[in-house]
Amino acid sequence: MATGTIVINEARCKGCTLCTTACPKGIIQMASGHVNEKGYTPAVLVDPDNACTGCAICAVICPDVCITVYRDVPAGKLQAVMA
Amino acid sequence: MTLHEDLVRTVVYQHPQALEAISTHYCPGCTHGIAHRLIAEVIDELGIQEQTILVAPVGCAVFAYDYLAVDGVEAAHGRAPAMATGIKRSLPDRIVFTYQGDGDLAAIGTAEIIHAAARGEHITTIFINNAIYGMTGGQMAPTSLPDQRTTSSPFGRNPAIAGNPIRMTELIAAIEGSAYVVRRSLHNVREIRKAKKAIKTAFRVQQAGLGFAMVELLSACPTNWGLSAPDALKWVEEHMVPYYPLGDYKVLDAVKALEDRE
């Protein structure tokens, strides 16, 4: 199974929750206990078991382009992924 | 892949270059942000950032020129296709596109879009249909559905009084001069991916000089519909898609050849 991770730009997040409903692994949640500078509750990745596959579904649905997606790629196949 | 093979953590999805790295004024869950991103990705992939000119509408997307990192101008309400016509005719080597909502394109700008299509202007139009006037506070739009509650139809749109919703894509497809007219939706990841492909084709139609191209995108307005962002996307799927069926309404053979080459 592919592995990867995401980085959420919390400052840009408006807390719409779409990524939390789209994530097939259910590992994106709304933060509890903190808000961003706009006053929105941002989405956060909670992935203690490294379940993220880097599928990018969250990034495709995000209306505020907050999510950068990384995938662990065999060195020999880097070209294919970047293309 | 073997267990011992070196894995490299690689960026597979990031902010497109043709989109400014700033926060937008759009409400949480507004699909304008998705549409902007798809256009920016297509501009990046086609390598046309330096030659693209955006004609922005009046409506919520009035500040689109602040967000898309291309040259942009602001048209009078509904007149984006007329302005784009002038720009494209005087600068034919540029890629000129309009980004218009349903209040802009299907109400005050109905004449402009129809005649731009009839003339077969070599421009691309991205048409955002969210069945409501967003910027002014959620009034009934020409595209509001029968029985849809808005601030100006609080008991639901009554077609006997307020008329019927206009299906713009079907209308434009029927006009000689349009080359590529399709309807897509932004209500889930699968449809968003299909929407991006259509936007790319619409820009390539212009590059190839095949005629007028328009992509209608069914969109959500959670704030004015009074729904959460996920529920708003469900509303698009359950209420808008049945009235505004997704699909290709006009694809000239020359455009099909273009798609096949991809």
Side-chain angles (χ1 to χ4, degrees):
Chain A
M1 196 57 164
T3 55
T5 193
I6 61 167
V7 173
I8 299 174
N9 183 341
E10 287 192 19
R12 291 271 300 271
C13 180
K14 293 174 186 161
C16 74
T17 76
L18 288 179
C19 55
T20 66
T21 62
C23 176
K25 299 286 182 184
I27 52 176
I28 308 179
Q29 300 171 8
M30 302 316 289
S32 57
H34 75 280
V35 295
N36 65 15
E37 60 191 11
K38 291 197 199 79
Y40 292 121
T41 300
V44 291
L45 178 71
V46 181
D47 189 14
D49 303 322
N50 294 322
C52 181
T53 61
C55 70
I57 281 175
C58 52
V60 172
I61 200 107
C62 176
D64 291 287
V65 205
C66 304
I67 304 176
T68 306
V69 183
Y70 299 85
R71 202 176 299 155
D72 299 327
V73 180
K77 291 184 180 168
L78 265 183
Q79 280 310 110
V81 173
M82 299 305 283
Chain B
M1 177 178 22
T2 68
L3 284 173
H4 304 292
E5 197 165 4
D6 285 337
L7 292 174
V8 182
R9 185 147 280 190
T10 311
V11 174
V12 290
Y13 202 97
Q14 65 187 336
H15 198 285
Q17 195 187 322
L19 196 66
E20 300 286 359
I22 54 173
S23 233
T24 65
H25 72 288
Y26 300 118
C27 302
C30 173
T31 48
H32 268 307
I34 298 177
H36 283 21
R37 192 190 70 226
L38 297 184
I39 292 168
E41 286 174 7
V42 166
I43 289 172
D44 282 356
E45 286 170 21
L46 295 175
I48 54 173
Q49 189 178 1
E50 291 301 319
Q51 65 189 99
T52 299
I53 299 174
L54 154 74
V55 185
V58 169
C60 282
V62 66
F63 298 126
Y65 50 76
D66 280 342
Y67 305 141
L68 286 158
V70 296
D71 285 333
V73 287
E74 171 61 45
H77 202 354
R79 274 57 177 174
M83 202 166 189
T85 297
I87 296 170
K88 183 70 182 182
R89 287 189 179 199
S90 54
L91 298 168
D93 61 328
R94 308 301 160 89
I95 304 297
V96 184
F97 77 103
T98 72
Y99 183 101
Q100 302 175 262
D102 47 334
D104 193 77
L105 182 143
I108 193 168
T110 317
E112 280 74 14
I113 194 68
I114 286 176
H115 287 284
R119 294 190 304 268
E121 295 296 343
H122 295 174
I123 61 172
T124 302
T125 290
I126 309 300
F127 169 38
I128 306 295
N129 178 3
N130 60 8
I132 207 157
Y133 279 92
M135 185 181 74
T136 49
Q139 291 82 9
M140 181 171 60
T143 46
S144 295
L145 298 177
D147 300 323
Q148 184 180 339
R149 287 168 188 260
T150 69
T151 52
S152 57
S153 60
F155 305 108
R157 177 178 188 159
N158 178 358
I161 296 169
N164 293 285
I166 301 177
R167 296 183 178 100
M168 287 306 294
T169 290
E170 285 86 334
L171 202 63
I172 300 297
I175 293 174
E176 198 72 35
S178 60
Y180 182 69
V181 187
V182 302
R183 182 183 289 121
R184 297 289 185 268
S185 178
L186 301 175
H187 70 261
N188 65 31
V189 169
R190 182 166 164 262
E191 298 301 331
I192 291 170
R193 290 199 163 120
K194 284 162 85 173
K196 180 180 169 183
K197 197 157 178 262
I199 292 169
K200 195 168 189 178
T201 301
F203 276 91
R204 294 183 71 220
V205 164
Q206 182 177 163
Q207 285 182 307
L210 299 178
F212 179 78
M214 183 174 98
V215 179
E216 174 177 349
L217 299 173
L218 300 186
S219 299
C221 182
T223 298
N224 286 303
W225 294 353
L227 297 172
S228 70
D231 286 347
L233 294 189
K234 267 191 217 110
W235 198 87
V236 172
E237 184 175 14
E238 289 168 8
H239 296 273
M240 288 186 76
V241 173
Y243 193 92
Y244 298 110
L246 308 181
D248 298 349
Y249 287 84
K250 187 170 194 182
V251 184
L252 291 186
D253 286 342
V255 178
K256 282 188 192 127
L258 205 65
E259 284 181 316
D260 291 342
R261 278 206 297 276
E262 186 144 289

